[in-house]
Amino acid sequence: MDGAAPLVHARGLTKRFGKATAVDGIDVDVAPGEAFGFLGPNGAGKSSTMRMIGCTSPPTSGTLRILGLDPAADGPRIRARLGVVPQQDTLDTELTVFENLLVYGRYFDLPRGVIRPRAAELLAFFQLAERAGERVEPLSGGMKRRLTIARALINEPQLLLLDEPTTGLDPQARHALWERLYRLKQQGTTLVLTTHYMDEAEQLCDRLVVMDGGRIAAEGSPGELIRRHVSREVLELRFADGVQDHLDLGVLAGIGDRVEALPDRLLLYADDGDAAAAAVHDRGVRPASLLARRSTLEDVFLSLTGRTLVD
Amino acid sequence: MIASLVASSALGGRRAARLFERNLLVTRHIWLVVAAGFFEPLFYLLSLGIGIGDLVGQVEVDGRLVDYRAFVAPAMLAASAMNGAVFDTTFNFYYKLRFARTYDAVVSTPLGVDDVALGETLWALARGGVYAAAFLLVMVVMGLIGSAWAVLALPAALLIGFAFAGAGLACTSFLRSWQDLDVLQLAILPMFLFSGTFAPLAAYPAGLRWVVQATPLYHGVELLRSLCTGAVGVSLAGHVLYLTTMGVVGLAVAGRRIGRVLLA
Amino acid sequence: MHAALRQTEHELLKHRQVWRTSLASWFLTPLLFLGSLGLGIGQAIDRSGAAGTAALGGVRYLAFLAPGLLAATAMQVGAGESLWSVQGGFKWHRFFHASAATPLRPTDVFLGWMTWITIRLVLSATAFVAVAALLGAVRSPLALLAVPAAALTGLAFAAPLTAFTATCQQESTFPLIMRFGVMPLFLFSGAFFPLSQLPATLQAVAQATPLWHGVDLCRALMLGTVDLGSALIHVAVLALFIVGGLAWGTSTFTRRLAP
C-alpha cells in the first residue's frame, strides 16, 4: 500500500437509484499489483461499485479516482486502460470467438497487426484456441466466461475488474479459472473482483472488504479478518428433527467464544474444535453429528451481520 | 478551443467507425440475408409495375401525365430507405441494446454512448445507400428515370434514411418490450401505404390529405418523385428541411436517452 | 386431441395480455391496405375505363383486391407464426420442452400449436371479411365461407413450415424463406392483379403455389362466382399441403422433443 499511488481511490463513494441507496459512502484504496476483493451477498452493492469503478455508472456523490484520473472528465482515457468482466457475459453472439477479440481490440483502437498475435496468445492461455473460428452461442458457460476474461485482457489493462467471475460455473471450471487468474496476478495485473463465495475470496484476494447493505463491514486480508472476528476453528452441531428447538443454549456456555444458532445447525466457535467436541459430550449434549473445521470468511460474515452469504 | 473541438469530433468519428467495422464483420456471416434486403422493393416494383401498371396506365403528377411505373418506382425507393433505416434502428438496435446487451460491452471500452448512436446511424445509412444505388440502377435499366435531376436521388435517399434512423433510435430508447415494437410497426404501415406511395394524393379525401402531408414519408416520396420525374420546384427545400430536422432532433434525443439505459 | 388442446390453451392464455394490440392490427391492417390500394389505385384503374375493369372480370378493383388480400394475409399470418415463434418454443422460451415434460406427447404439442394458429387465422380472417363488407367489397353471402377458406390457405403454409422449423437448430434460413418465398408469393399470386398480366411461364408457376388456389377460392366466394369443380380442386390442393405438413410435423416434433 505504501508508496505507490492507488489505482482505485474512493472516499464516501455513494450510488443511489431513485430512493434506494445501493452504495452508501464507502472508502476504498487498491494498490498496484494487488488482488482486491469485495465479498458480500447478492444486493450488497458490489456490482454498483464495480460499475462506478469501470466508469460506466456515474457516482451520486463522493470522490472517485481511477488510475489517478477523474471518471467524469476522463472516462474514455481511463476505460482505455481497464479490463472489464461484467457479471453477465456480454459476448457478441453475432460473431465468432476470434472476432469477439478482434472487434473488441478495435474498440481500443489497436491495429489489427497487434490484435491478431495477442488474441492467439489469449485464446491459448484460456484454452480456447480450438474454438477460435466457431460462433459464441453454443459454447459452454465456462468457455464463455473464459472468453469474456480473455476479451477484457486484449488491451493489456493495468487494472482488471471481475464481477462475480465464477458464478454459475461448475466446480471444475471454477478451479480452472482461479488458476488462470492466479497466473495473471503473478504476471503483475492488478485484480479487483466481487464475489459471494468465501472460498473464491480466500483463494484469490490479498485484501478484501466485506460489504453488506451498501456499506463496508470489515477490511483486511482473509487471514486477518478471520483472526480478528472469529476463533480459529468452528464446531458444527446437527441434531435430529426438532431437538435443536428445545435445546437450552445455556448448557453450552463457556465452551467456546460464541454460539451461533442457524435454522439447521449450531455453530460453536472455539480455538480447538476437538477439545470443544469433548466438552459438549461431557455436558450431556448428544447431537446427531459433530464436525470440527477451520473458520472461514463465511463465519466472518456471519459474525459481522448475523446472516449467511449464500441464502 | 476550435482546434480541440475539431480534434474531439474527429476522434468521435473514428470511434464510431469502430462500431461500423463490427457491423461489417457481422454482415460477412449473414450476407445472403443482407443482400436479400435489396429484393423487397424490387419485388414491389415488379408486382405493381408489371401487374398493376398496365391496368392503371398513366397518373397525373403536377399537371403532367406520368406512366404508373415511373410514378411508383421513386416511392418504392423512398419507402425502402425508410424501412431499412427503421428496421436497423428499431428491431436490430433494440435486440442489441436490451436483449443481447451488445452495447454494455462497448461502453466499457473507450467508446461512449454518442459513438454508439453515431456508429449505428452511419451503418444504417451505408447499408441503405447500397440498396438505394442498386435500386436506382434497376430504374435506369427499366427506363424509369425521366430527368437528369435523378443524380440527386441517391443523396436524397440517404437523407430519408438519416431522418428515419434518427427517429428510429430515439423511439427505440423508449421501448420497454418486444410488444412495443409491434405498436411501432403499426405506425409504419399506414405511412408506407398512404404517403402518396401507391396512388396520387388527390385520390384521397381532403381531411386525409392534410394528415398525409404532415408525415415524414410523404416528404421523402415527394422529394424522390420530383427528382426522378424532373418536376423540380422550390417545395423541395421544404422537404429537405423537414427530413434534416427530423434526423437531427431524433439523434439528439437518442443520444441522451440511450445514455440513461446504458450508463445508469 | 384433448391433450393437444392443453397446448392451445397455454397459447391463448399467453396472448390474453397482448390481445388489444392483436385485435387492433387484425382490423387495422385490412382497413389500411384496402383503403390505400383498393381506393387509391382502384380509383385510377376504375377511371382508366373498360380495359382495366374487363381484366379484373368486370368488378371494381376494391372488390377484386379484397379476397386476394384476405388469402395473402392469411398466408403471412400462417408463415409468421411458424418460424421464429416456433423456434422460440424450442430454443428461447422452451415452452414446447416444458409441455413435453408433462403427459403431453410431442404430437399433442404440435397439434396444439396448429390449433392455436387455426384460431388466430379464423379470428383475423373474420375481422378482414367484416372490414371488407363495411367497405362494400363483398358481393355474396358465400363470403362467410371465405373465412374457412382463408384459414385453409394459412394452414397450407403453417403446417409444413412449422414442421420444417422443428428440424432447424439455427434460424439463418428464416429470413430467406420470408424474403424469397412469402414476399414474392404475396406480390405475384394474383392477389393484387389478375395472373393474365404475367408472362405465360410465370402464370404457370404462380398457379402451382398454394396461395394462388387460396386467392382464387376466396375470390370466387366473396364475389359469388363459385364454380363447384374448381372450388373442389382448390380445397383439395390446400388440404394436400395441410395433411402433408401435419404428417411431417408429427415426426419432426417427435424427433426434436423426444430424440
Side-chain angles (χ1 to χ4, degrees):
Chain A
M1 277 277 355
D2 5 53
L7 296 189
V8 178
H9 171 80
R11 287 294 174 270
L13 187 62
T14 302
K15 181 74 189 184
R16 281 191 210 95
F17 296 102
K19 280 183 182 164
T21 303
V23 181
D24 195 1
I26 63 170
D27 300 344
V28 168
D29 284 292
V30 179
E34 215 180 4
F36 183 89
F38 291 92
L39 176 70
N42 291 328
K46 295 172 297 173
S47 289
S48 300
T49 306
M50 286 296 252
R51 296 195 56 223
M52 286 192 280
I53 296 176
C55 308
T56 53
S57 169
T60 311
S61 65
T63 312
L64 183 63
R65 290 286 176 280
I66 311 294
L67 308 169
L69 298 169
D70 177 6
D74 286 313
R77 266 177 71 197
I78 300 172
R79 292 197 301 267
R81 293 153 65 191
L82 297 185
V84 177
V85 177
Q87 191 170 354
Q88 248 136 31
D89 292 323
T90 50
L91 294 168
D92 202 321
T93 50
E94 295 175 89
L95 298 171
T96 66
V97 169
F98 174 77
E99 287 169 347
N100 260 277
L101 298 185
L102 178 68
V103 163
Y104 208 71
R106 294 295 288 156
Y107 292 157
F108 288 92
D109 223 3
L110 300 172
R112 283 193 179 74
V114 171
I115 300 172
R116 281 179 199 283
R118 207 179 276 179
E121 214 173 287
L122 284 168
L123 289 178
F125 183 78
F126 285 102
Q127 294 161 302
L128 289 164
E130 285 169 15
R131 303 294 191 118
E134 290 176 34
R135 293 290 279 267
V136 164
E137 211 186 330
L139 296 185
S140 73
M143 287 179 177
K144 282 184 182 158
R145 209 60 188 145
R146 295 206 299 270
L147 180 57
T148 303
I149 298 175
R151 188 182 68 173
L153 292 169
I154 195 75
N155 59 327
E156 297 189 331
Q158 279 175 275
L159 180 59
L160 181 62
L161 307 177
L162 302 130
D163 197 356
E164 303 276 355
T166 65
T167 297
L169 298 189
D170 60 60
Q172 213 181 343
R174 293 181 71 201
H175 281 278
L177 206 52
W178 285 345
E179 192 246 332
R180 301 281 136 180
L181 290 174
Y182 184 75
R183 278 170 58 187
L184 280 177
K185 191 182 123 187
Q186 282 189 314
Q187 290 165 14
T189 309
T190 307
L191 306 180
V192 173
L193 62 107
T194 75
T195 183
H196 63 267
Y197 296 120
M198 54 93 188
D199 50 347
E200 185 159 272
E202 282 181 359
Q203 283 269 344
L204 293 175
C205 298
D206 302 321
R207 213 157 54 81
L208 56 94
V209 291
V210 177
M211 271 190 95
D212 187 44
R215 292 168 198 250
I216 291 176
E219 180 185 344
S221 72
E224 275 168 20
L225 286 169
I226 291 170
R227 272 197 301 282
R228 204 182 309 148
H229 296 281
V230 289
S231 57
R232 207 171 61 86
E233 295 197 339
V234 189
L235 188 64
E236 294 199 7
L237 295 81
R238 287 173 195 268
F239 295 88
D241 277 348
V243 175
Q244 189 183 322
D245 303 337
H246 305 293
L247 190 73
D248 173 17
L249 294 183
V251 74
L252 299 172
I255 294 182
D257 307 340
R258 208 157 47 82
V259 177
E260 198 82 53
L262 298 179
D264 60 335
R265 67 203 137 126
L266 291 182
L267 300 179
L268 213 163
Y269 290 90
D271 283 327
D272 185 341
D274 291 332
V280 166
H281 193 266
D282 289 346
R283 297 204 185 170
V285 178
R286 296 285 182 271
S289 77
L290 267 174
L291 170 72
R293 59 167 174 82
R294 272 185 56 227
S295 292
T296 65
L297 288 172
E298 178 88 48
D299 300 304
V300 172
F301 188 78
L302 186 66
S303 103
L304 286 169
T305 67
R307 288 178 292 113
T308 50
L309 271 171
V310 187
D311 290 314
Chain B
M1 177 65 198
I2 291 172
S4 86
L5 255 177
V6 170
S8 75
S9 68
L11 195 64
R14 203 175 73 209
R15 289 203 198 116
R18 298 290 172 247
L19 204 66
F20 190 94
E21 259 182 71
R22 180 245 169 221
N23 289 343
L24 203 60
L25 206 54
V26 171
T27 302
R28 289 217 315 229
H29 293 292
I30 51 164
W31 64 272
L32 200 56
V33 175
V34 175
F38 160 70
F39 288 92
E40 187 163 324
L42 186 65
F43 286 150
Y44 262 95
L45 178 64
L46 292 178
S47 170
L48 294 167
I50 298 175
I52 297 183
D54 272 357
L55 303 177
V56 177
Q58 294 189 312
V59 289
E60 206 182 287
V61 177
D62 286 347
R64 292 195 296 169
L65 282 177
V66 177
D67 195 62
Y68 185 70
R69 276 168 232 191
F71 170 83
V72 90
M76 290 302 103
L77 179 55
S80 123
M82 169 184 82
N83 282 330
V86 166
F87 185 77
D88 260 342
T89 56
T90 59
F91 278 89
N92 277 350
F93 185 66
Y94 185 78
Y95 172 80
K96 289 190 267 187
L97 182 69
R98 300 270 192 177
F99 194 73
R101 310 210 68 101
T102 311
Y103 305 121
D104 285 23
V106 175
V107 295
S108 294
T109 73
L111 271 66
V113 172
D114 293 347
D115 304 318
V116 169
L118 190 59
E120 289 296 353
T121 309
L122 287 176
W123 174 251
L125 284 185
R127 189 168 153 173
V130 172
Y131 291 156
F135 191 84
L136 279 165
L137 208 61
V138 172
M139 284 176 68
V140 171
V141 171
M142 288 176 68
L144 300 178
I145 301 279
S147 155
W149 284 99
V151 293
L152 292 177
L154 185 60
L158 286 176
L159 177 62
I160 297 169
F162 170 69
F164 281 96
L169 285 178
C171 284
T172 305
S173 66
F174 286 93
L175 300 184
R176 293 148 305 166
S177 69
W178 290 106
Q179 264 94 47
D180 289 351
L181 277 169
D182 291 345
V183 177
L184 198 67
Q185 208 50 34
L186 223 51
I188 293 291
L189 184 64
M191 259 201 282
F192 174 60
L193 290 171
F194 286 94
S195 296
T197 22
F198 298 102
L201 209 53
Y204 303 120
L208 189 58
R209 272 191 299 227
W210 282 98
V211 178
V212 169
Q213 282 174 329
T215 63
L217 183 58
Y218 166 78
H219 295 274
V221 170
E222 284 299 304
L223 179 60
L224 281 179
R225 191 170 281 148
S226 305
L227 292 172
C228 291
T229 59
V232 174
V234 220
S235 60
L236 287 200
H239 302 317
V240 170
L241 187 67
Y242 183 109
L243 295 168
T244 310
T245 313
M246 176 170 153
V248 170
V249 171
L251 216 50
V253 172
R256 289 176 138 205
R257 290 277 319 170
I258 296 165
R260 279 204 232 164
V261 176
L262 289 175
L263 306 178
Chain C
M1 197 60 218
H2 184 72
L5 288 177
R6 295 273 161 271
Q7 184 68 40
T8 313
E9 197 183 337
H10 172 81
E11 289 313 312
L12 288 173
L13 281 174
K14 256 186 6 198
H15 280 79
R16 233 179 24 186
Q17 292 145 16
V18 291
W19 66 273
R20 256 180 257 267
T21 322
S22 305
L23 202 66
S25 78
W26 291 345
F27 280 99
L28 273 178
T29 310
L31 191 65
L32 292 172
F33 263 97
L34 291 177
S36 163
L37 303 177
L39 300 178
I41 300 183
Q43 210 177 69
I45 295 178
D46 300 338
R47 196 183 287 159
S48 77
T53 314
L56 299 178
V59 296
R60 286 170 57 217
Y61 184 65
L62 179 67
F64 174 86
L65 175 70
L69 206 52
L70 167 66
T73 309
M75 168 190 70
Q76 283 189 317
V77 170
E81 291 288 328
S82 306
L83 298 170
W84 286 276
S85 333
V86 172
Q87 186 74 327
F90 287 121
K91 209 166 147 180
W92 303 305
H93 312 296
R94 301 183 65 85
F95 47 81
F96 286 149
H97 290 280
S99 305
T102 70
L104 299 190
R105 294 166 301 154
T107 308
D108 300 324
V109 175
F110 173 57
L111 293 178
W113 184 258
M114 296 317 298
T115 312
W116 149 244
I117 293 183
T118 310
I119 293 172
R120 263 215 69 167
L121 285 167
V122 168
L123 290 176
S124 55
T126 308
F128 194 109
V129 172
V131 170
L134 279 176
L135 294 174
V138 169
R139 294 293 187 84
S140 152
L142 281 176
L144 286 176
L145 287 177
V147 171
L152 284 182
T153 311
L155 281 174
F157 288 90
L161 282 177
T162 301
F164 168 74
T165 300
T167 68
C168 298
Q169 297 297 331
Q170 297 296 323
E171 306 77 48
S172 50
T173 46
F174 296 177
L176 301 178
I177 291 175
M178 293 305 277
R179 281 266 159 79
F180 293 113
V182 173
M183 161 71 51
L185 282 182
F186 182 76
L187 290 169
F188 295 98
S189 291
F192 293 92
F193 54 84
L195 281 193
S196 56
Q197 297 294 117
L198 288 176
T201 36
L202 280 181
Q203 266 184 56
V205 174
Q207 283 175 342
T209 67
L211 181 57
W212 178 75
H213 291 276
V215 166
D216 212 48
L217 181 59
C218 288
R219 192 165 281 145
L221 289 166
M222 278 175 74
L223 297 178
T225 56
V226 181
D227 146 35
L228 194 61
S230 29
L232 285 178
I233 291 174
H234 293 326
V235 172
V237 171
L238 295 174
L240 194 70
F241 276 88
I242 296 171
V243 172
L246 289 180
W248 188 26
T250 304
S251 87
T252 60
F253 262 63
T254 307
R255 245 176 291 152
R256 181 86 177 249
L257 289 173

